[in-house]
Amino acid sequence: MEDDSNRLYRLDGVAHIAGAVHLEPHRCISSMRRQHNMMLDDRIVPYLQMAGLYHLARLNESWFRLDELLVSAFVERWRHMPFGECTITLQNVAYHLDLPTDGQYISGCLTDFSRFIEGGQPRWVWFDELLGVLPPANCIDKFTVKCTWFEETFSELPQGADDETVRRYARVYIMMLLSMKLFGDKSGTCLHIRWLPYVGRLEDMGQYSWGSAALSWLYRCMCRVANRNIVKLVGPLQLLHSWIF
C-alpha cells in the first residue's frame, strides 16, 4: 500500500502544477517554432532509426498548437516547484520523444570545424561533398543557410535515387529536424552548419545522447526566458508542452 507521505507529496506536486496552469501569468511568452516542409520519405527512415530520431520525425509530421498562456504560467513558476515529478528529467525525454539518453555527449565549437572535417577541407567544400550542392551566396550568412533553400532544394527525394542521393537527403532531413525541433534558435529562418560533423557520419549518430542535449537546451532556453525582458521561447517545445499536460 502506498505510503501517505509519498501520496501527499505527489498531490502537493500536482497542486503546484495546477496552480501554475490556472493562475493568470504576468506576461505571455510567444514561442519561436517552425515546421520544416521536407517530406519524410520511407527511404530515409533507416537512417533516422539508426540515429535514434525516427519518433521525433514522426512527431514532426503533425503540427501542434502550443498553449502559450499555459507555457507562460509554467515558466514563471517552474524554478519554485518541488523536485521529483515537477522537474523535467531524462526519463521524461525518453518517454515523450523516444530520444537516446545514453552515449557520447554532443559538443563542439560553432565556428571551428577543422578538427572534425576529414582531410582538413574548408567547411564549404565539405558541405558540397556531403550534400552534393552549394547554396547561392545570397542564401549564406557566415555559418548559416536559409531554411527556404534547403526546403526548395531537397523538398522531395527523386524516384529511382541512388544510395548516395538518399544519404544526402537523409543528412539534410536530420539537420532540419535537429535545428527546428530540438535545438531551435530565435532566427527561425536559418540553419547552422554545426551539424555537418554529425551527419557526415550517419552510421555513428546513434552513439550520441540526443536526449541529454535536448534537455540541457530546454533548461537553458527556459532560464533565458525567465528574464522578464525576454519574451521569445525556443527549444524542444513539444517536450515541454506534453510534459506539462
Side-chain angles (χ1 to χ4, degrees), residues 50-51 104 118 167 197-210:
M50 194 184 304
Q104 299 181 37
E118 296 177 1
R167 288 172 65 87
Y198 299 97
V199 299
R201 302 176 180 87
L202 287 171
E203 288 76 13
D204 295 338
M205 289 197 67
Q207 300 177 8
Y208 293 96
S209 178
W210 296 106

Side-chain angles (χ1 to χ4, degrees), residues 40 48 53-62 173 177 238:
L40 179 56
L48 292 167
L53 300 172
Y54 179 53
H55 185 69
L56 182 67
R58 292 180 61 197
L59 291 176
N60 184 63
E61 290 295 288
S62 302
Y173 190 97
L177 193 66
Q238 281 179 314

Side-chain angles (χ1 to χ4, degrees), residues 3 12-13 18 23 39 48 51-52 85 101 104 112 122 132 140 160 178 236:
D3 182 77
D12 182 61
L23 288 176
M39 182 180 298
L48 292 167
E85 294 142 26
T101 55
Q104 299 181 37
D112 181 15
I140 299 174
L178 295 174

Side-chain angles (χ1 to χ4, degrees), residues 148-222:
T148 52
W149 177 82
F150 281 103
E151 292 172 344
E152 292 168 0
T153 307
F154 298 92
S155 59
E156 187 173 351
L157 181 58
Q159 293 296 324
D162 58 23
D163 290 343
E164 183 54 34
T165 301
V166 174
R167 288 172 65 87
R168 287 171 176 168
Y169 272 74
R171 290 183 182 116
V172 173
Y173 190 97
I174 290 173
M175 289 175 68
M176 295 285 285
L177 193 66
L178 295 174
S179 296
M180 298 300 160
K181 306 306 293 184
L182 285 187
F183 307 106
D185 56 34
K186 291 185 179 180
S187 73
T189 60
C190 294
L191 186 152
H192 202 289
I193 63 173
R194 65 168 69 97
W195 304 115
L196 282 180
Y198 299 97
V199 299
R201 302 176 180 87
L202 287 171
E203 288 76 13
D204 295 338
M205 289 197 67
Q207 300 177 8
Y208 293 96
S209 178
W210 296 106
S212 302
L215 183 60
S216 299
W217 182 243
L218 176 60
Y219 274 128
R220 183 173 183 178
C221 293
M222 290 172 62

Side-chain angles (χ1 to χ4, degrees), residues 10-231:
R10 285 210 294 272
L11 290 174
D12 182 61
V14 172
H16 275 76
I17 290 182
V21 170
H22 291 105
L23 288 176
E24 187 71 21
H26 294 99
R27 59 183 173 137
C28 183
I29 298 168
S30 58
S31 58
M32 298 289 293
R33 60 195 189 279
R34 193 171 188 274
Q35 189 84 346
H36 71 74
N37 297 318
M38 287 187 63
M39 182 180 298
L40 179 56
D41 193 286
D42 289 341
R43 288 169 288 179
I44 70 173
V45 166
Y47 295 104
L48 292 167
Q49 292 173 328
M50 194 184 304
L53 300 172
Y54 179 53
H55 185 69
L56 182 67
R58 292 180 61 197
L59 291 176
N60 184 63
E61 290 295 288
S62 302
W63 181 251
F64 79 105
R65 182 179 179 181
L66 188 74
D67 189 332
E68 293 181 339
L69 279 175
L70 172 66
V71 171
S72 299
F74 174 77
V75 169
E76 283 187 356
R77 295 166 176 82
W78 76 280
R79 285 186 172 181
H80 307 291
M81 290 181 176
F83 291 101
E85 294 142 26
C86 294
T87 299
I88 307 171
T89 65
L90 282 177
Q91 183 180 8
N92 301 133
V93 177
Y95 178 78
H96 290 280
L97 300 184
D98 197 23
L99 292 174
T101 55
D102 294 316
Q104 299 181 37
Y105 64 86
I106 297 165
S107 183
C109 179
L110 301 186
T111 58
D112 181 15
F113 300 116
S114 58
R115 65 191 182 94
F116 295 108
I117 299 176
E118 296 177 1
Q121 301 179 88
R123 59 186 62 86
W124 294 108
V125 173
W126 204 37
F127 184 102
D128 188 22
E129 181 180 308
L130 290 176
L131 303 185
V133 63
L134 279 174
N138 63 351
C139 291
I140 299 174
D141 183 11
K142 294 183 179 179
F143 303 104
T144 64
V145 180
K146 289 183 178 179
C147 292
T148 52
W149 177 82
F150 281 103
E151 292 172 344
E152 292 168 0
T153 307
F154 298 92
S155 59
E156 187 173 351
L157 181 58
Q159 293 296 324
D162 58 23
D163 290 343
E164 183 54 34
T165 301
V166 174
R167 288 172 65 87
R168 287 171 176 168
Y169 272 74
R171 290 183 182 116
V172 173
Y173 190 97
I174 290 173
M175 289 175 68
M176 295 285 285
L177 193 66
L178 295 174
S179 296
M180 298 300 160
K181 306 306 293 184
L182 285 187
F183 307 106
D185 56 34
K186 291 185 179 180
S187 73
T189 60
C190 294
L191 186 152
H192 202 289
I193 63 173
R194 65 168 69 97
W195 304 115
L196 282 180
Y198 299 97
V199 299
R201 302 176 180 87
L202 287 171
E203 288 76 13
D204 295 338
M205 289 197 67
Q207 300 177 8
Y208 293 96
S209 178
W210 296 106
S212 302
L215 183 60
S216 299
W217 182 243
L218 176 60
Y219 274 128
R220 183 173 183 178
C221 293
M222 290 172 62
C223 284
R224 285 176 174 174
V225 83
N227 183 332
R228 293 189 178 277
N229 296 321
I230 307 297
V231 294

